[in-house]
Amino acid sequence: MDGTVPYPSRKCLATTVTPSETPTSYSAASKHSEWRDAMNQEYQALLQNHTWTVVPPNPSSNVLGCRWVYRTKLHADGSIKRRKVWLVAKGYHQQPDLDLHETFSPVVKALTIRLILSLAVARGWPLCQIDIQNAFLHGTLTDQKVQKALLQSDVQAKSDKSPVTVADYGSQALVSFVLERELPSDSFSLVAEEDSGDLRKESGQETLQRITKLVNDTIVNDGSFSVPTLTMEDMLRAIDSGKSDGGSHGRHWVLDPIDGTKGFVRGDQYAIALALLDEGKVVLGVLACPNLPLASIGGNRLHSSHDEVGCLFFAKVGAGTYMQSLDGSSPIKVNVSTTDNSEEASFFESFEAAHSSHDLSSSIAKKLGVKAPPVRIDSQAKYGALSRGDGAIYLRFPRKGYREKIWDHAAGCIVVTEAGGVVADAAGNPLDFSKGKYLDLDTGILATNEKLMPLLLKAVRESLEEIPSAL
Ligand SMILES: Nc1ncnc2c1ncn2[C@@H]1O[C@H](COP(=O)(O)O)[C@@H](O)[C@H]1OP(=O)(O)O
Ligand SMILES: [Mg+2]
C-alpha cells in the first residue's frame, strides 16, 4: 500500500487480443451472417453517400481492385461490442507515373480529418468542402491490440538502455510520413524523439523489418491512405525526418511517438504526443492516450476493468481543449478543476520513482493538506487527465542534471493551458519551448489552476529548502 493507483487493470488489457473469429478474407467472412450483415450495412452506407460513380472501363487506366478489412471491437469484459468492416482499395497496385498520387480509398479516419482541420486552421488554409459520412477511427498504432501484440516480442534496448519498442519507431515513421504527405512544403520541420542510428546497424535489420511490416499493415488496415508498400529505406527516411532542432523561428512539429515507453512496456499508460510550435510558442497539441479511461481517474474513485478506455485530447491556442474517445465520439470541451481548496486537490505524478521524486511531492502534498493518495501514471496522459479535472495538480521533479525535452511537454502543456490551467517550472516561470530540443528550466514542472498556483509554488519552495537531497 504505497499509495500507487495501479492503472489500468491488466485484465482489461488481456481481453484486447484479436478474437479468433475475426475473418481475414471475404470467403471466411461471408460464411457468417453477422459479418454479412456488417458488410451489407457498410456497402449500403457507401452507396447512400455516393462514394463512387460507375463508368465504362478505360484501357489506359490502371484498374485497382478492392478488398474488405474486418475488425472485432470488444467491451472491456471481452464480449463483442461491434463488428467493423471497411472496403479498401488495393493501393499497392498503383503504378508510378500513372496513378501513384491519386487517392482511391472510400473511407477516411475522423482522427486524420481532425488533425488536418487543425492544420488548416493553424495555417490559415481555406476550407472548401467537408463531407464526412463514414468516419473510421480504428487500426492505428494507438490501438491497444497493437500494444499487446508488440509487447510479446519487440522490446529492444536503445544504446542508452531505455526501453524502446518497434512501436516507438513505427509510430514516428507513420506520423512523420502522414505529416509530410499532407503538408507538401519545403519548410517541413519535425523535432522527434527517435533517430534511425541503431536501425542502420547490422543488428538493427530485423527490427527494421518488423517496423516496416507494422507500418505497412497499419496503413492497409486503416484505409485512409492509398500508397504503395513502403520499403525499409522509406522507414529510415521517415524516421530521420524528425531530426530538426526546433527553435524560436518558423514552424516546427514536435512529436513523442510513444511517450511513457516504460508504461507502454508494462501494459499501462502511454501517449502519442504531437504539437506545433510557431515562433517558439506551442499553438496546437494533440494527445492520444489509448489506455486512459474515458471516465475520471481522479481522487479516490475506484476503477473497474469495465471502464471504457482510449482518449484523444486536442487543443488549439485560443480555442480551448477538447476530448473525444478514440472510437470517434463527439468531442467535449474540457476544463481543469477550479478548486481553490488545496486539501481536496488530488495530484498526479510519475509512476516511475526514478523519473520524479516521490519524497518531494509527498512533502509538498503534506504542506498543502492534500488528503487523497497520489495518482501515479506514466506519460503525458497526466496532462490529459488534469485538463479534464480528474485531479488538480501535476508534480514532476526529475533528478538534478536531467534535461527535459520539448516533446515530453509541448502537447501536454497546451492541453492544460487551453483548459484553463497553468504550467510552470518550480520557480513559477512558464515553459519556454523556443530554445531547441531542450527545456532549460528551474528544478521541476508544476501544473494546476490559477487559484492554487501561488500556494503550490510556496509549498514547493519550502519543501525544496527542507529536503534538497530529494533531487
Ligand atoms: N531519469 C529520468 N528522469 C526523468 N524523466 C525521465 C528519465 N528517464 C526518462 N525520462 C522521461 O520521462 C518521460 C516519462 O515520464 P513519466 O514518468 O511522466 O511517464 C519519458 O519521456 C522519459 O523519456 P523517454 O521517452 O526517453 O523514456
Ligand atoms: Mg517521452
Side-chain angles (χ1 to χ4, degrees):
M1 288 279 103
D2 62 353
T4 299
V5 180
Y7 213 78
S9 111
R10 305 291 163 84
K11 226 193 284 166
C12 165
L13 285 164
T15 61
T16 60
V17 269
T18 307
S20 55
E21 63 113 355
T22 302
T24 51
S25 67
Y26 174 78
S27 57
S30 59
K31 292 196 177 84
H32 300 276
S33 60
E34 300 91 334
W35 287 109
R36 280 201 305 274
D37 289 348
M39 286 188 284
N40 198 26
Q41 266 176 27
E42 180 66 6
Y43 187 66
Q44 293 306 323
L46 291 170
L47 290 182
Q48 273 166 21
N49 294 334
H50 306 289
T51 311
W52 54 67
T53 309
V54 179
V55 294
N58 177 345
S60 65
S61 296
N62 178 24
V63 179
L64 300 180
C66 55
R67 57 173 291 229
W68 290 99
V69 176
Y70 308 90
R71 182 69 60 87
T72 311
K73 270 210 68 95
L74 300 178
H75 288 291
D77 65 1
S79 59
I80 291 180
K81 183 177 177 187
R82 201 183 315 146
R83 290 181 176 81
K84 289 291 297 176
V85 297
W86 296 262
L87 186 64
V88 300
K90 292 178 177 170
Y92 45 88
H93 287 161
Q94 285 173 253
Q95 293 172 11
D97 301 326
L98 188 59
D99 56 2
L100 196 56
H101 299 292
E102 293 195 43
T103 301
F104 297 98
S105 173
V107 299
V108 70
K109 278 181 61 192
L111 191 61
T112 313
I113 290 287
R114 189 168 310 293
L115 181 62
I116 301 313
L117 286 183
S118 306
L119 289 173
V121 174
R123 298 196 143 213
W125 292 339
L127 289 170
C128 302
Q129 186 190 354
I130 308 157
D131 182 10
I132 316 168
Q133 299 297 336
N134 293 36
F136 297 81
L137 263 169
H138 301 266
T140 70
L141 283 164
T142 62
D143 197 311
Q144 283 186 305
K145 283 194 280 289
V146 176
Q147 180 191 25
K148 178 87 183 168
L150 286 167
L151 291 182
Q152 310 299 330
S153 59
D154 287 318
V155 179
Q156 306 288 318
K158 254 197 299 196
S159 13
D160 65 3
K161 299 281 188 285
S162 63
V164 68
T165 64
V166 168
D168 288 81
Y169 291 116
S171 172
Q172 180 162 324
L174 192 60
V175 175
S176 159
F177 171 79
V178 171
L179 283 178
E180 260 196 290
R181 192 183 150 95
E182 298 297 327
L183 301 167
S185 146
D186 292 343
S187 58
F188 176 75
S189 165
L190 174 67
V191 189
E193 180 166 21
E194 306 301 335
D195 71 64
S196 73
D198 289 346
L199 298 175
R200 289 183 186 274
K201 294 178 189 155
E202 186 69 39
S203 55
Q205 290 312 291
E206 201 199 320
T207 308
L208 181 56
Q209 273 171 11
R210 285 172 188 268
I211 295 162
T212 312
K213 180 170 181 330
L214 174 68
V215 170
N216 279 311
D217 287 354
T218 304
I219 290 174
V220 169
N221 274 337
D222 170 71
S224 301
F225 297 97
S226 291
V227 289
T229 304
L230 301 172
T231 63
M232 296 206 283
E233 195 45 48
D234 291 331
M235 286 307 112
L236 294 171
R237 213 176 308 124
I239 291 167
D240 283 341
S241 279
K243 268 188 172 163
S244 167
D245 283 329
S248 56
H249 297 298
R251 285 190 156 159
H252 307 278
W253 291 94
V254 179
L255 172 69
D256 194 337
I258 304 270
D259 179 45
T261 317
K262 289 201 166 135
F264 182 91
V265 169
R266 232 187 292 111
D268 289 340
Q269 295 299 328
Y270 67 102
I272 291 96
L274 180 67
L276 178 63
L277 294 187
D278 188 12
E279 301 296 308
K281 299 257 186 279
V282 188
V283 293
L284 189 69
V286 185
L287 212 51
C289 309
N291 277 341
L292 188 68
L294 291 164
S296 168
I297 61 164
N300 293 317
R301 188 180 166 272
L302 284 178
H303 306 296
S304 123
S305 59
H306 293 282
D307 284 340
E308 268 202 66
V309 298
C311 303
L312 180 78
F313 298 88
F314 54 97
K316 192 173 92 67
V317 69
T321 298
Y322 290 80
M323 183 192 82
Q324 67 169 102
S325 94
L326 277 173
D327 269 357
S329 62
S330 300
I332 49 164
K333 197 165 194 303
V334 293
N335 295 293
V336 296
S337 156
T338 51
T339 186
D340 58 1
N341 180 355
S342 62
E343 292 185 16
E344 65 181 38
S346 69
F347 72 98
F348 294 105
E349 66 180 340
S350 289
F351 182 92
E352 299 282 336
H355 289 182
S356 182
S357 167
H358 290 174
D359 288 347
L360 198 57
S361 52
S362 156
S363 155
I364 294 162
K366 213 178 275 167
K367 285 186 191 301
L368 293 172
V370 172
K371 294 199 192 83
V375 179
R376 291 180 178 155
I377 60 169
D378 305 279
S379 85
Q380 289 176 69
K382 292 187 275 296
Y383 283 114
L386 193 80
S387 76
R388 64 182 188 190
D390 289 7
I393 297 171
Y394 168 27
L395 300 173
R396 178 173 166 92
F397 293 102
R399 297 222 179 287
K400 263 205 171 72
Y402 180 79
R403 294 183 78 190
E404 296 280 11
K405 321 316 178 288
I406 57 172
W407 53 72
D408 282 326
H409 302 283
C413 187
I414 190 167
V415 160
V416 165
T417 53
E418 281 300 321
V422 190
V423 183
D425 68 11
N429 304 310
L431 307 191
D432 182 352
F433 291 92
S434 73
K435 299 263 174 68
K437 282 188 181 178
Y438 295 98
L439 287 170
D440 284 327
L441 48 77
D442 189 348
T443 313
I445 294 179
L446 323 169
T448 185
N449 64 35
E450 277 180 23
K451 292 183 216 154
L452 282 176
M453 189 51 108
L455 264 183
L456 178 58
L457 281 167
K458 181 167 174 284
V460 168
R461 223 172 17 246
E462 289 172 6
S463 293
L464 280 169
E465 273 165 21
E466 282 167 26
I467 43 169
S469 59
L471 298 182

